[in-house]
Amino acid sequence: MGKKGVADPVFVYIFALVAGMIILFFFLSFSMKHKGTANLMESGELASGMDNSLAAFSALGQGEKEFEFPFETELFIDPGSVGAKSGAKQFSKPTRSIIYSPKSLKGKKVAAWTIRWKAPFSITNFFYLTTDKDRYFIVYGNDHSNFASNFMKEEIPDKIKPSNKLFGMNEFSALKAAIRASPPTANLKVIIFGDDVKAAVNNQLSEFNGKYSVVEIIPLEEPEDNFEYDFGYVQFEGEAKRAYIGRPMMYGGMIAENAEYYDYSYTQAMDRLRNVTQIYTEKIRYIKAVGNCPQTGYNSIEGLLSQLQSDSEESPESVVVSKFMNNIKAVEDMNKDIMGAGCQALF
Amino acid sequence: MKRKAQMQMMETFMVLLVFFILLAIGIYYYFQFSAKNIEETGQEVAILSGTTLLSVVSSMPELQCSIRAREEGGCLDAAKMTIAVEKGLFSTEDYKPLFDKKRVYVNTTYPKEAFISNKCLDNLAYKTPGCGLWILKDYQFKKGKRAVSTPVSIYYPDKGQFMAGKLVIEVSS
């Protein structure tokens, strides 16, 4: 090897090794970056697609549908955004849709349900999303048996129904069996109707502590032991009571991830209520001058709308639900009176 | 021998140089093609979201007309639209996810003669912001734009009259 100017084969091997490694590294990093970009695009398309689909879905006013994906997908529903994960990449998109769902939706299918929230006029649509990994066990006290059975039969749509199971006060063994039969990764929630149920649930389900979360629905109590299910309070574990205004918001309380997520949706809903109320308040000046209609009806409804506005500014923890309810009902009645007098209705 | 070794080295470098040049050209065209694909996907998404928005806007409680407490599909309330424009409602932060980088307007298409200069509706309220034209959300497009539209009926609650109109959504192309 003492010849000057002759490339040492060892040097050639090292050179080839280094050059080969550089080229290999280049291709590997290129393909990794390409994969990352493809994943990001895929999650972006999923999140945008989901948001667009929900927006289009709201045009129906009311409906249910199932989103099917060709592969196991993970969607993230956070306050004000819809996100999706593909590979290691996650993409979130701001959304205007008011969505009640668990924080993470994992699976090939997502069941969706939408209904319009009215107070008393239409304000916005609420969306409810679940997967087959979410299980809701509704446990009701004796005072709520009629409501509970009607609720399951008539109100919960078929695509959402499989996630929900109904249990009376004397059906705890069936409830325990249902919890045991749930997959270990399932998101379990026990929804309570009735004061007497809460203690019983704590006693009977102590063996499953930490495996499920509890939310209590407390409808307003009316005279003669009747309940006003459209208005009331929802109480998450270890949290103060929050108001729900209207049945769609009660469903929201049942499905929402936790109190923080519920509060965000409540605030969003109240912002929309204020926007729409403001429009109706202004609309009065367009219609009150028509014909010979008495001005008193329009003046009264204007005052009531202003009260609705102030109710909507309260937080879900501090708002007086009965007052809010009475104002909503009064606006509805006043609109009917105006129509009854042959005048132009406000809504 | 020294010369031979130099030649060998030069050959190797030349091969590598040609290889990297070809690779760079390949990558350049690949990225150009990918960028074009992404741009096209973006345009498709924009058109799709515009089309979706058509059905969303025509059923928004902020604009939808209701007659005797019954909501009418595909019908917009002239009074509500005027108020929304006056208040700049759809330019607020709350509506940004829906209307960002979009221009949304409604114009009356029939009867035309009702909306020419002084023949605008006698109710002065509808003269602002314009006769038979409501720009619900304005946007200045830096490049080109594409429009999607749908026919709507426009209800004048003070008159109890319907007119024909068009809801137009413009997105960047």
Side-chain angles (χ1 to χ4, degrees):
Chain A
M1 294 292 163
K3 289 175 184 170
K4 261 187 176 179
V6 178
D8 194 323
V10 176
F11 171 72
V12 175
Y13 296 147
I14 293 169
F15 179 77
L17 196 69
V18 171
M21 276 174 72
I22 290 171
I23 293 168
L24 197 67
F25 175 76
F26 174 79
F27 278 110
L28 275 177
S29 68
F30 179 76
S31 59
M32 291 302 281
K33 272 186 188 157
H34 185 267
K35 190 172 173 253
T37 312
N39 282 340
L40 192 66
M41 273 181 70
E42 198 172 85
S43 52
E45 276 176 36
L46 263 173
S48 302
M50 190 60 166
D51 188 41
N52 275 338
S53 302
L54 290 181
F57 194 27
S58 71
L60 294 173
Q62 182 163 346
E64 55 172 317
K65 73 186 286 186
E66 205 161 57
F67 294 99
E68 280 193 55
F69 307 105
F71 44 84
E72 184 95 350
T73 302
E74 191 165 11
L75 293 171
F76 298 96
I77 311 295
D78 283 313
S81 73
V82 175
K85 196 173 181 182
S86 177
K89 295 282 177 180
Q90 191 177 328
F91 181 89
S92 285
K93 183 185 184 293
T95 184
R96 234 194 129 248
S97 302
I98 298 178
I99 305 168
Y100 293 101
S101 83
K103 180 182 163 62
S104 160
L105 294 160
K106 213 171 180 180
K108 280 188 168 182
K109 284 180 187 174
V110 173
W113 177 33
T114 186
I115 36 177
R116 196 155 268 199
W117 180 54
K118 297 182 175 189
F121 34 77
S122 288
I123 311 288
T124 189
N125 267 68
F126 288 168
F127 299 90
Y128 312 93
L129 305 179
T130 64
T131 65
D132 57 1
K133 291 188 175 67
D134 305 306
R135 305 285 158 91
Y136 301 95
F137 305 113
I138 302 162
V139 189
Y140 57 90
N142 295 333
D143 292 343
H144 301 274
S145 54
N146 283 341
F147 166 76
S149 52
N150 285 337
F151 170 72
M152 282 300 281
K153 269 186 213 149
E154 290 164 24
E155 296 188 34
I156 297 287
D158 289 340
K159 287 190 170 52
I160 301 281
K161 232 171 228 170
S163 303
N164 291 268
K165 288 201 163 36
L166 202 62
F167 301 93
M169 275 287 276
N170 50 358
E171 293 173 310
F172 275 105
S173 50
L175 172 60
K176 285 179 189 175
I179 292 177
R180 277 192 205 103
S182 303
T185 54
N187 165 36
L188 309 180
K189 191 176 250 188
V190 176
I191 298 159
I192 294 172
F193 280 89
D195 284 343
D196 42 345
V197 181
K198 201 173 177 181
V201 163
N202 285 338
N203 278 335
Q204 296 278 343
L205 302 185
S206 55
E207 62 184 286
F208 303 106
N209 274 350
K211 287 186 178 172
Y212 65 92
S213 58
V214 176
V215 62
E216 188 182 0
I217 306 292
I218 310 156
L220 283 188
E221 212 161 343
E222 290 187 324
E224 294 173 19
D225 291 336
N226 282 327
F227 291 95
E228 174 55 90
Y229 288 96
D230 289 347
F231 298 88
Y233 296 91
V234 50
Q235 187 162 26
F236 297 87
E237 259 176 314
E239 296 281 350
K241 285 194 292 185
R242 267 102 173 140
Y244 71 82
I245 307 297
R247 194 76 64 98
M249 208 178 274
M250 181 186 87
Y251 304 146
M254 293 162 73
I255 294 182
E257 172 77 15
N258 56 32
E260 183 202 341
Y261 282 61
Y262 178 82
D263 288 353
Y264 180 81
S265 298
Y266 182 93
T267 312
Q268 289 273 92
M270 291 304 151
D271 285 347
R272 308 268 164 88
L273 171 65
R274 271 195 298 282
N275 284 342
V276 180
T277 306
Q278 202 179 9
I279 286 175
Y280 280 119
T281 308
E282 295 280 330
K283 189 182 166 183
I284 292 171
R285 78 179 147 98
Y286 288 82
I287 55 174
K288 72 197 284 190
V290 181
N292 297 319
C293 285
Q295 299 294 293
T296 47
Y298 291 119
N299 292 340
S300 306
I301 210 165
E302 203 169 353
L304 289 166
L305 290 177
S306 147
Q307 286 182 41
L308 265 190
Q309 292 252 27
S310 29
D311 288 335
S312 70
E313 276 155 17
E314 300 279 341
S315 76
E317 289 169 69
S318 61
V319 68
V320 181
V321 175
S322 55
K323 183 172 158 270
F324 209 148
M325 176 184 79
N326 290 336
N327 283 333
I328 290 171
K329 287 182 173 173
V331 170
E332 189 170 22
D333 291 344
M334 190 54 72
N335 194 55
K336 279 182 190 158
D337 289 350
I338 291 170
M339 273 196 295
C343 299
Q344 179 68 49
L346 184 61
F347 57 90
Chain B
M1 293 306 271
K2 187 179 175 185
R3 210 176 159 79
K4 198 180 170 190
Q6 277 178 340
M7 286 287 284
Q8 275 180 353
M9 290 287 281
M10 283 297 285
E11 264 175 26
T12 314
F13 280 122
M14 286 306 285
V15 167
L16 279 174
L17 186 72
V18 170
F19 173 77
F20 277 111
I21 288 171
L22 287 175
L23 192 69
I25 292 170
I27 287 171
Y28 172 76
Y29 281 106
Y30 175 80
F31 275 113
Q32 277 224 324
F33 178 73
S34 296
K36 205 176 167 192
N37 260 352
I38 291 170
E39 205 175 299
E40 277 172 10
T41 310
Q43 278 179 14
E44 276 170 27
V45 169
I47 293 286
L48 187 71
S49 77
T51 313
T52 305
L53 204 54
L54 285 175
S55 57
V56 174
V57 172
S58 56
S59 64
M60 279 177 103
E62 293 89 330
L63 300 173
Q64 195 176 22
C65 61
S66 53
I67 295 148
R68 299 189 72 79
R70 211 183 67 241
E71 284 160 1
E72 300 287 329
C75 170
L76 301 176
D77 185 316
K80 284 183 176 180
M81 285 196 288
T82 306
I83 296 158
V85 173
E86 280 172 358
K87 301 252 170 231
L89 182 69
F90 297 121
S91 301
T92 57
E93 203 59 29
D94 181 30
Y95 293 88
K96 203 175 172 188
L98 209 56
F99 292 115
D100 194 29
K101 294 178 185 168
K102 291 182 185 80
R103 186 168 186 262
V104 183
Y105 63 92
V106 177
N107 60 6
T108 43
T109 50
Y110 183 84
K112 261 283 189 251
E113 63 273 16
F115 301 98
I116 300 167
S117 65
N118 294 336
K119 288 181 183 171
C120 284
L121 283 183
D122 49 8
N123 184 339
L124 67 92
Y126 293 122
K127 286 186 178 172
T128 51
C131 297
L133 172 68
W134 294 268
I135 300 171
L136 299 169
K137 165 73 174 48
D138 209 357
Y139 182 71
Q140 301 296 325
F141 294 93
K142 289 186 183 91
K143 288 184 184 171
K145 62 185 179 185
R146 287 173 78 173
V148 286
S149 65
T150 188
V152 286
S153 52
I154 300 170
Y155 178 64
Y156 288 78
D158 53 340
K159 302 256 169 203
Q161 282 179 0
F162 286 94
M163 295 196 188
K166 195 163 73 168
L167 166 65
V168 184
I169 293 172
E170 292 175 350
V171 294
S172 50
S173 63

